[in-house]
Amino acid sequence: MQKNIILTGVGGQGTVLASKLIAAASLAKGYEVMSAETIGMAQKGGSVFSHLRVGDELYSPMIRRGTADLLLAFEPAEAVRMLPYLKPDGTLVVSSHPIMPVTAALSGTDYTGSEMIEYLKREVSDIHVFDGAAAASEIGNPKALNVIMLGAALASGALDFLTADDLLTAIRAKVKPQFVALNERALRYASEKGI
Amino acid sequence: MKKAYLMGNEAIGLGALAAGVNLVSGYPGTPSTEVLETIAAHNDDGRIHVEWSTNEKAGMETAAGAAYAGARTLVTMKQVGLNVATDPLMSLAYIGVEGGMVVLVADDPGPISSQTEQDTRTFARYAKLPCFDPSSVQEAYDMIQEAFEFSEKYHTPVLFRPTTRVDHGYASITIKTPAEYTRHEPKGFARDPGRWVIFPRLSLRAHGAIEHRNAELTQVSSLYERNRLIPAARPVIRSGIVAQGVSWTYLAEALHEFRSEHASELPRQLKIAMPFPFPEELAVEFMHDLDEILCIEELDPVIERELTYICGKYHLPVRIRGKLTGDITAAGENTRDSVYAAVVKFMDWQAAPARTLPQPPLAVVRPPVLCAGCPHRASFYAVKLAMKGQKCLFAGDIGCYTLGNAMPLDMVDTCLCMGAGLGIAQGIRAADPGTKCFAFVGDSTFFAAAIPGAINGVYNQADFILVVLDNSTTAMTGHQPHPGTGHTMMGEVVEKVSIEKTLAGIGIKTIRTVDPLDLEKAVATVRDVAAEPGVKAIIFRSPCIALVTPRGRAHIDADQCRQCKKCIREIGCPGIVIEQGRVTIDASQCTGCGLCSEICPFDAIDVTLDPRGVRLKAKGWPPRQPAAGRQDSADSKGGDQ
C-alpha cells in the first residue's frame, strides 16, 4: 500500500495540523509515514502545502507531479496551483470559499473562486466541492475548517486506509478536551451532509 | 529503541542528546533553528548548557572553548551564519578540539529562505574539515552520533550539513530511549599553551599535520558505510549514477518506479555521505569499467569535480555528466521531478506520460506580507510620512521587516546581510551626500550584527538615522529569545541588555524611543531626529503581535466610509479586505493596532480596545514546550516555527 497526499491552502487555515492528524492516525495503524511542509517566510499569508506519504517503500517525503492520490485543498486557487501533482484519476477535495490575497485588495483583481472551481471541474473527474467556510460557521468555529476538510477527504473514499475512529483518536490526542466534541462534529459534517 | 515520528531537526537534536552532548550554542536561522530548540525542550534537568548566542561567531567560540575542556559540543546555524563564524572556525581547524565538536550548518538549496545558495561541502574543503551530509531523517539521527565519535577520534571539529528538505522533512524513524544514551563527562581544560595558543610556528606544523591526516581520511571515508556503492543489476552495465543528500532519495524513488520495467538495466549507484575527505578509493571502484556517470547533487558540483579529478589522476576513460555539462540544474534545488527526468534521459528510458494542464483562468499570487497589526508596518509608514518629498535611502536588513519592501509600503531600498544596512547607509551617504540615509535593523539583528556598524558611524563622523525595530523577539525564525528579552534558553530570567544604553555608551547623543502605533508622535519623532546632524537613533518599540493578545478590533462605520480605499492603498494590511465591493475588516486577522483608523480621512474606522489590555500570549516564556505538544485548538497558525 502506498498513498500520496497533498494538502494545500493559505497560511493560517490549518493545513499543517490536518496533515499531522492523518500522519498520527496512520502511524497508530502501523503504517510508515513521511511528510514535508512549508516552513518559514512563505507561511505569512502565503500559499502553504504539505506532502504526505503513507505506506511501504518510502524513500522521500516529496511527491512527484502526477502521482498524488488525493489533493485536499482548503482554497480554490491553491487547488489549481497544486493540481499538477494530482494523478489523472486522483481525488480532489476542495473548499470553494476563496481567500483574497492582499494584492487583490490593492489591485482590485476580481478573483471570486468560482472561475477556479469551474476550471477544476473541467480537469478532474473525481472532484468533491463544498463551501468549507460555510460549513465551519455552521459548526460554530472557523478554526474547525481543517477537521471538516479531513472529514470530507474521508467521505470521498480517498482515505480508505483510515476510519473516522482512527482520526478521532488522533484528534483527541492533539486537541484540548473542551474542543473534542466540536472536532467530532466537524469530522462527521461531510458524511452527514453527503458531500 | 523505539519508533518516533520526527522532523529532521528534531531527530538531529535527539541524536545529539543520544551522543551525550554537553553544550549546545547557535544563532537562529531557517532551516537550522529547531535543532537547538529540541535539545532545550529535553533539558529539564539542566544538565546541558543550551544557549542562543548573540551571533554565530560567539556561538562557535563558546562551543570551541567547551570542546577544549573535553565537552561534547554542538553549534548550530544556517549557511550564511557560517560566514559570520568563519574566522574562529578556520583557526579552530588548525588548533583542533579535545571533546567532540559538531558544527551544524544547514544549507538551503532553492534558496527557500536565504540570501545565498552557498555549499558547506565546498567550505569543508577550504577549511580542511571533515563533512557529513545526511540524506534522510533517519540517517541524520544516526549520522550526528557518528559525527561526534569521529570528531573526538581525530581531535577535529567536523561539519554536519543537512539541507532544508532533511531539516524540515518528517519521517517515522527508530531512535534510542534515554536509557540507551551515551553519558559524556568533560575532563576539564588542561593547560597547554603549545597546543591552544595559535602562533605561526604552530600553524605551520598544524597545517602539515592536517594535510597528512586528510590524505589518510580519504581511506577512512572510503570505508565509511554511509558512502555506499550499490552494484548494477548486471555486471555488463556500464552506466553509473552518484548522488548525495535528498537527491539520493529522489534517485531511489526514480529507480523504484522503473524497478520492474527495467529490472535488468538498473545502473551502478554511489551515495556520497562524506564529501570531504572524499572517498577516493571507493570512487575509483565505482568508476571502474563504467563508460558514463551522472552526478546528481545540489548547490556546487562538488562530487562531479572530485570524480573528474580522480578520472584524470587514475586515467579512467569515463564521461562525467552533471551540473557542469548542463544535465543537472546549476542553481536551485533538485526535485523528485527533476531527478526523475535526469535519470530517464541519462538511462534512455521512457518517462511515464505527463499530463499537460491548460492555463489557469487567472494567477492568484500570495507574496509573504507583514502580518495584520505588525508594528513594523506602522514604523515604516511613520518614516515614510515624515520624510515625504525628501531624497532618502532606506537600508533594510535581515528579518521579518525585509517585507517592508512590498507594495504599498515600498520602504526597503537595500538588503545585503545581517547588520549590513548600517554600513550601506554610511557608504551611500558618503558617496551621495544629498541623501538622508536610514538604516532599519531589528532587535535581534541589532545585538547580532549592528553594534560594530554603529560604532563605525560614530567614529568616522557618519550622518545617518539608525532605526531599531524592537519587537522584543527574533520573530522571523519563530520567536527565539535574545539579549534584549531577558530570558535564556536555560529558562533563566536575566537582566535585559538595553539597546538605549548600548547606543548611549557608543556615544550617540540623540536616542529617541517611541511606540510606532502612536502614529502622530512617531512621525514627529522621525522629523525631529532626521533634522539633526551625525549618527542618531530611533527605537520603535512595540511587541510582535504573535507574542501578545490583540489590543482590540477595528470596525468600519458603513455610513461614514466613502470607499476611497486610502487605508488599503497606504498600508496594505492583510486585515483590510474588500468583500462584496466594500472595504471590510477581516475580524480573524485584525489586532486593533489602529493604524488604519489614523489614516482614514473620513473617521470611518474605530477601534474597540480590549478592556483587559494587551497581555503576553505565550505562557512561561521563553517557549520550552516539548516538540510534540498539544495545541490550543484545531488551529495550526503559529508563526514561522
Side-chain angles (χ1 to χ4, degrees), chain B residues 291-489:
Chain B
D291 291 333
E292 201 166 35
I293 288 168
L294 177 66
C295 300
I296 309 177
E297 54 192 321
E298 290 182 310
L299 304 176
D300 292 346
V302 170
I303 298 170
E304 192 177 350
R305 286 206 173 103
E306 290 283 5
L307 293 185
T308 307
Y309 157 76
I310 291 168
C311 277
K313 184 173 172 182
Y314 293 83
H315 307 291
L316 302 177
V318 188
R319 181 152 184 221
I320 295 174
R321 313 189 70 102
K323 285 172 175 273
L324 301 172
T325 54
D327 291 82
I328 300 292
T329 180
E333 67 171 334
N334 292 334
T335 63
R336 282 283 310 272
D337 291 278
S338 73
V339 169
Y340 179 89
V343 168
V344 162
K345 185 179 162 217
F346 178 72
M347 297 304 294
D348 201 15
W349 292 342
Q350 189 70 42
R355 182 176 175 210
T356 41
L357 289 163
Q359 195 70 19
L362 62 126
V364 177
V365 290
R366 299 184 196 278
V369 289
L370 293 171
C371 301
C374 175
H376 296 333
R377 177 179 290 103
S379 302
F380 283 123
Y381 189 63
V383 176
K384 190 175 189 173
L385 284 189
M387 303 315 292
K388 209 168 197 167
Q390 297 192 51
K391 189 183 175 198
C392 290
L393 174 276
F394 303 117
D397 222 293
I398 306 290
C400 286
Y401 51 98
T402 315
L403 297 175
N405 75 322
M407 298 301 282
L409 283 174
D410 192 19
M411 282 292 287
V412 177
D413 295 327
T414 67
C415 180
L416 186 66
C417 70
M418 292 278 289
L422 287 79
I424 299 287
Q426 292 167 44
I428 288 182
R429 170 75 185 192
D432 189 354
T435 305
K436 283 260 183 216
C437 292
F438 288 75
F440 292 90
V441 66
D443 43 340
S444 187
T445 307
F446 173 80
F447 291 113
I451 296 169
I455 297 174
N456 188 65
V458 171
Y459 168 50
N460 288 305
Q461 304 299 299
D463 188 327
F464 76 104
I465 304 107
L466 171 62
V467 182
V468 184
L469 303 170
D470 181 5
N471 62 359
S472 304
T473 187
T474 317
M476 189 58 151
T477 45
H479 304 103
Q480 289 74 31
H482 63 62
T485 62
H487 295 278
T488 72
M489 286 306 270

Side-chain angles (χ1 to χ4, degrees), chain A residues 8-23:
Chain A
T8 186
V10 176
Q13 281 192 306
T15 54
V16 174
L17 184 59
S19 158
K20 291 220 158 91
L21 289 171
I22 299 176

Side-chain angles (χ1 to χ4, degrees), chain B residues 19 56 98 154-156 176-177 247-248 257 368 374 382 426 552 621:
Chain B
E56 293 85 354
E98 183 58 31
Y154 295 101
H155 293 288
T156 178
K176 292 176 179 169
T177 60
S247 298
W248 173 256
E257 290 194 56
C374 175
Q426 292 167 44
W621 176 256

